[in-house]
Amino acid sequence: MAQAIATQNGSSATVRGYVVGQPTATTTVIRSGYPNDYALALADSASTTSTSNMVYVQIPSAFRASWGMKTNPSLLGRQIDVTGSLSAYFSHPGLTSSTAFAFAGTTPPTSTTTPPTTTTTTTTSAPPANCLAYYATACDKTGAALKSALNSIIRNQTKLDYTQVWEALKVTDQDPNNSANVVLLYSGVSRAKSANGGDQDDWNREHVWPQSHGGFGTGAGAGTDLHHLRPEDVTVNGARGNLDFDNGGTQTHPEAPGNRYDTDSWEPRAAVKGDVARMLFYMAVRYESDDQLNLELNNSTSNGSQPLMGKLSVLKQWNLQDPPDAAEQRRNQVIYDSYQRNRNPFIDNYRWADSIWP
């Protein structure tokens, strides 16, 4: 296990360990009440509790039915062998893109790591341990170079049409306590998946970056990008409208306690302030001179129909005050695995925002 933790260089490895729970954050591994089948944690001992002595294993969709913790909670304490790439997961030493899972036999694996092939030519260095292999070409960059590198990575996506968004949101925003419902972004209310539409008390598709801020409409691309589309009550969505984001406000919406707004800004409830910030960071990086769009963040709340959103200084504060939680990380993974095949980099590494917008 120590070797796997120390060798986070993208090389192939077979790692043997005891299943000690499911990682839900960089320093959090739970041992019951598993929210999904996307990950498990391995350690040298079934009684290990220190996350620093664990390897976090990403479970690809093909293996979740047999090796996911929610479906197979009896895996806890079992010794298994997993083959994959030694790359960070949840910004923690991990094993990603796994290709094989098996219960451990009596003979140890013949090899614990396969070093990367060495050549005399110059090669791209492996990402550091706190950077997913997905971002390998961006991990050593900062500022404008980082923004450009991330754009080159995440612009490679599968685009949905606006009708497909309805069904996708029923999966990405499913209530973990009630699979028949979705959780609404601003109000936090759990509402039936079937109650989607345009009538009062229905939920609809909220564009966190409003369509009018750039005029991109609902066409495939920015208008249908799941990384900023969320379910919300029709009335609450209408009240938010195309307001920029900022602290303060004179009114509290009766159907969305904790949200405040005035004539030029909306302040979401505390539990999703960071989520909102990271969705806007994503949009400003993803739609950089692409699809005839150049979305940017600024420090204003009077942006009208310009392709601008604010207030950047406040969004940066929210990003730090409310870092990514397990639900946000799960959503990011579902979008990557099942729909768009691209990720929100600011959920995977929320500190990147301060590098791009110092």
Side-chain angles (χ1 to χ4, degrees):
M1 197 62 58
Q3 185 178 2
I5 292 171
T7 316
Q8 292 287 295
N9 60 4
S11 60
S12 176
T14 298
V15 177
R16 171 169 291 181
Y18 290 90
V19 178
V20 291
Q22 179 176 9
T24 57
T26 303
T27 58
T28 305
V29 171
I30 60 175
R31 294 176 63 85
S32 63
Y34 309 113
N36 53 54
D37 289 325
Y38 299 118
L40 58 80
L42 294 179
D44 282 329
S45 168
S47 61
T48 298
T49 57
S50 173
T51 57
S52 62
N53 296 323
M54 299 178 187
V55 168
Y56 290 0
V57 177
Q58 180 186 32
I59 307 175
S61 57
F63 296 98
R64 290 175 189 160
S66 299
W67 298 97
M69 296 300 291
K70 182 176 182 179
T71 302
N72 306 279
S74 62
L75 286 172
L76 187 68
R78 298 291 300 274
Q79 190 181 39
I80 67 173
D81 293 335
V82 184
T83 302
S85 175
L86 289 169
S87 302
Y89 189 48
F90 283 97
S91 299
H92 181 283
L95 198 65
T96 62
S97 303
S98 305
T99 57
F101 289 75
F103 288 109
T106 57
T107 304
T110 57
S111 174
T112 56
T113 61
T114 302
T117 302
T118 57
T119 67
T120 56
T121 58
T122 301
T123 59
T124 302
S125 60
N130 64 347
C131 186
L132 292 173
Y134 175 75
Y135 303 110
T137 57
C139 292
D140 61 346
K141 295 178 173 60
T142 59
L146 172 61
K147 185 180 182 185
S148 178
L150 290 175
N151 170 265
S152 296
I153 295 167
I154 66 177
R155 70 192 300 163
N156 297 312
Q157 71 181 86
T158 300
K159 296 179 181 179
L160 281 67
D161 63 40
Y162 203 42
T163 299
Q164 290 173 314
V165 169
W166 282 124
E167 296 307 311
L169 291 179
K170 294 176 184 179
V171 179
T172 60
D173 292 79
Q174 179 174 292
D175 184 344
N177 299 312
N178 185 344
S179 61
N181 287 11
V182 293
V183 177
L184 309 187
L185 175 63
Y186 302 128
S187 62
V189 170
S190 178
R191 188 162 295 173
K193 290 179 178 178
S194 59
N196 64 299
D199 295 331
Q200 187 174 6
D201 294 329
D202 281 347
W203 62 268
N204 60 6
R205 297 158 290 189
E206 154 72 339
H207 289 78
V208 178
W209 189 297
Q211 302 169 49
S212 63
H213 287 238
F216 49 76
T218 59
T224 64
D225 197 312
L226 294 174
H227 283 297
H228 85 119
L229 282 164
R230 302 294 292 266
E232 187 48 70
D233 175 83
V234 167
T235 305
V236 176
N237 193 351
R240 189 264 157 147
N242 68 349
L243 294 173
D244 289 84
F245 293 95
D246 194 5
N247 287 318
T250 57
Q251 303 179 70
T252 301
H253 198 285
E255 294 186 72
N259 294 257
R260 299 175 63 84
Y261 65 105
D262 52 26
T263 57
D264 68 352
S265 68
W266 181 275
E267 179 184 358
R269 60 192 176 100
V272 296
K273 283 182 174 177
D275 305 52
V276 166
R278 288 180 285 276
M279 285 185 270
L280 298 183
F281 296 157
Y282 165 87
M283 292 294 285
V285 170
R286 165 62 184 88
Y287 296 96
E288 179 82 5
S289 301
D290 186 45
D291 294 345
Q292 299 182 329
L293 282 175
N294 187 12
L295 304 182
E296 297 288 350
L297 297 169
N298 66 7
N299 225 32
S300 172
T301 56
S302 301
N303 287 310
S305 61
Q306 300 178 85
L308 303 169
M309 278 295 293
K311 189 173 184 180
L312 177 57
S313 59
V314 172
L315 296 173
K316 289 173 62 181
Q317 292 171 5
W318 292 353
N319 180 48
L320 297 178
Q321 292 168 2
D322 174 36
D325 60 16
E328 194 177 357
Q329 291 166 336
R330 171 198 170 274
R331 189 177 196 274
N332 194 29
Q333 191 68 41
V334 171
I335 292 172
Y336 175 78
D337 286 338
S338 303
Y339 297 101
Q340 295 186 183
R341 300 300 300 169
N342 74 338
R343 306 180 68 86
N344 182 336
F346 303 98
I347 296 174
D348 293 322
N349 186 344
Y350 70 102
R351 296 284 183 176
W352 271 337
D354 285 330
S355 177
I356 294 174
W357 297 282

